């Protein structure tokens, strides 16, 4: 009888220890890596409040930057720009439709896409394709003398030519968080 009680007590103790130690061990496992080229690895909870299609678009911008020879700083600028222009959403409307804004000459704006690029940037198809729109952005950024040494928002302003040169500053921290999280090796 004492042997049975000892065996039962041992089994209960082992079960209790397993119930405590296994979850603790699992809690310290490394989270799944984010792979820039594999959207299924993007965290459902998002990064710095950006999620789903927004992270897909950030990944496209980052990959385009890399293909064109831009490093982390260029990636951050591209992601910051799209955060500020479209909340990283590839939208088919712009400032005219949402706010009635006009160009400095009084003409109606025609901005669309991730970067809210107007007609003079390219065709509607080009501006609505995230990789092509990013390419158009980076081609213009490459022509800004010393863009790497400028304040990030000012460098973007020299490409986008908007009203407020400091407008993009509010997106810097989020853009850095997204780019850094999505740049980890997977």
């Amino acid at each position: 009888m004492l042997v049975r009680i000892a065996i039962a007590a041992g089994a209960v103790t082992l079960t209790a220890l397993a119930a405590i130690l296994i979850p603790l061990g699992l809690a310290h496992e490394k989270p799944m890596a984010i792979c820039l080229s594999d959207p299924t690895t993007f965290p459902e909870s998002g990064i710095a409040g950006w999620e789903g299609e927004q992270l897909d678009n950030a990944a496209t911008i980052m990959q385009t930057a890399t293909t064109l020879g831009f490093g982390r700083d260029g990636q951050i600028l591209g992601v910051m720009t799209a955060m500020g222009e479209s909340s990283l959403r590839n939208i088919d409307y712009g400032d005219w439709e949402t706010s009635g804004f006009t160009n400095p000459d009084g003409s109606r704006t025609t901005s669309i896409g991730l970067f809210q690029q107007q007609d003079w940037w390219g065709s509607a198809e080009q501006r609505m394709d995230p990789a092509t729109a990013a390419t158009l952005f980076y081609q213009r950024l490459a022509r800004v003398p010393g863009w790497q040494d400028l304040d990030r928002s000012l460098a973007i302003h020299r490409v986008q030519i908007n009203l407020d040169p400091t407008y993009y500053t509010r997106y810097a921290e989020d853009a850095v968080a997204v780019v850094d999280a999505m740049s980890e090796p997977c």
Side-chain angles (χ1 to χ4, degrees), residues 16-143:
L17 283 172
I20 293 169
L21 295 177
I22 290 173
L24 285 176
L26 293 175
H28 296 292
E29 285 184 12
K30 186 177 176 185
M32 188 171 94
I34 299 171
C35 293
L36 187 61
S37 61
D38 184 2
T40 64
T41 65
F42 299 169
E44 285 186 33
S45 60
I47 301 168
W50 305 89
E51 60 191 12
E53 103 178 79
Q54 295 168 311
L55 293 180
D56 293 346
N57 288 325
T60 299
I61 292 166
M62 293 171 63
Q63 290 169 324
T64 302
T66 299
T67 299
L68 296 172
F70 289 87
R72 177 179 178 268
D73 290 340
Q75 291 176 341
I76 291 168
L77 293 184
V79 171
M80 274 177 70
T81 304
M83 285 176 168
E85 293 293 342
S86 67
S87 295
L88 280 171
R89 297 189 189 283
N90 198 27
I91 53 179
D92 63 356
Y93 57 88
D95 296 333
W96 173 259
E97 292 82 1
T98 59
S99 306
F101 285 148
T102 59
N103 291 314
D105 66 2
S107 64
R108 179 181 168 171
T109 60
T110 58
S111 52
I112 57 174
L114 285 174
F115 293 90
Q116 288 294 283
Q117 295 160 326
Q118 294 199 54
D119 284 344
W120 48 270
W121 283 81
S123 70
E125 293 78 20
Q126 290 173 312
R127 295 178 289 143
M128 287 300 295
D129 176 69
T132 305
T135 298
L136 294 170
F137 172 81
Y138 286 116
Q139 287 172 340
R140 291 184 187 270
L141 179 63
R143 293 194 302 253

Side-chain angles (χ1 to χ4, degrees), residues 132-168:
T132 305
T135 298
L136 294 170
F137 172 81
Y138 286 116
Q139 287 172 340
R140 291 184 187 270
L141 179 63
R143 293 194 302 253
V144 174
W147 67 266
Q148 302 92 330
D149 300 321
L150 296 173
D151 173 80
R152 289 175 176 150
S153 189
L154 184 56
I156 295 167
H157 173 71
R158 298 250 173 105
V159 174
Q160 295 293 107
I161 314 169
N162 62 358
L163 295 174
D164 179 6
T166 64
Y167 171 74
Y168 302 97

